[in-house]
Amino acid sequence: MKAVVQRVTQSTVSANGAPTGTIGPGLLVLLGVDVSDTEKEAIWLADKIVHLRIFEDGNGKMNRSLAEAGGGMLVVSQFTLLGDCRKGRRPSFVRAAQPGQAEELYTCFVEQVSRSGIHVETGQFRTRMQVALVNDGPVTLIVETP
């Protein structure tokens, strides 16, 4: 699995002209599922992101996690994160999981984050979406499963 994690002051995702998820301060997570991923990777990545120390403490250092700082997580599926652009001019998506597997692991990821006590909002799977955000910092990280 691969995730682009952005610390935000607010973020919204819409599908078919209607918002499907909105958060205030927290994390926007764009999530891509690889063909080799299993539930084990979804659980590992959810735990990793919930506990990443990327929020400032009282001294202005990135030393607190989302679980400690509070806030929500907006999770948006994005198979294009698995696009391989090393050859040619058009990305290859052979590493992206098929929709059934991807949705199952996306759901597993969201449920694991929710079990951690984090308020989670989501996009709409297999739908063209529009994502709006205000990146805080800016802080943007790419997190991949081992």
Side-chain angles (χ1 to χ4, degrees):
M1 293 183 110
K2 183 183 286 191
V4 173
V5 179
Q6 296 181 306
R7 190 176 73 186
V8 298
T9 57
Q10 63 184 22
S11 186
T12 301
V13 62
S14 299
N16 301 315
T20 64
T22 300
I23 62 167
L27 297 175
L28 168 62
V29 176
L30 306 175
L31 185 68
V33 180
D34 188 278
V35 293
S36 66
D37 288 332
T38 67
E39 187 175 294
K40 178 181 173 186
E41 283 79 21
I43 292 168
W44 182 91
L45 189 62
D47 185 66
K48 180 72 157 181
I49 293 172
V50 165
H51 294 98
L52 271 178
R53 297 182 339 173
I54 59 174
F55 289 87
E56 294 176 357
D57 64 14
N59 297 320
K61 301 234 185 242
M62 289 198 318
N63 203 27
R64 295 187 323 156
S65 68
L66 180 62
E68 296 166 325
M73 184 183 294
L74 178 57
V75 184
V76 178
S77 63
Q78 189 164 353
F79 80 94
T80 59
L81 289 177
L82 279 291
D84 183 349
C85 299
R86 292 177 291 178
K87 292 184 180 178
R89 302 227 183 253
R90 189 171 65 170
S92 168
F93 296 104
V94 298
R95 296 298 313 163
Q98 292 297 311
Q101 175 193 8
E103 186 170 17
E104 181 180 316
L105 294 177
Y106 170 82
T107 300
C108 177
F109 176 90
V110 169
E111 289 171 353
Q112 186 67 26
V113 170
S114 186
R115 279 189 211 106
S116 298
I118 305 297
H119 174 75
V120 183
E121 299 270 332
T122 64
Q124 189 171 339
F125 197 83
R126 288 192 82 184
T127 303
R128 186 178 184 96
M129 294 174 276
Q130 295 74 45
V131 179
L133 69 134
V134 178
N135 194 318
D136 182 25
V139 174
T140 301
L141 300 165
I142 298 171
V143 184
E144 298 182 68
T145 51

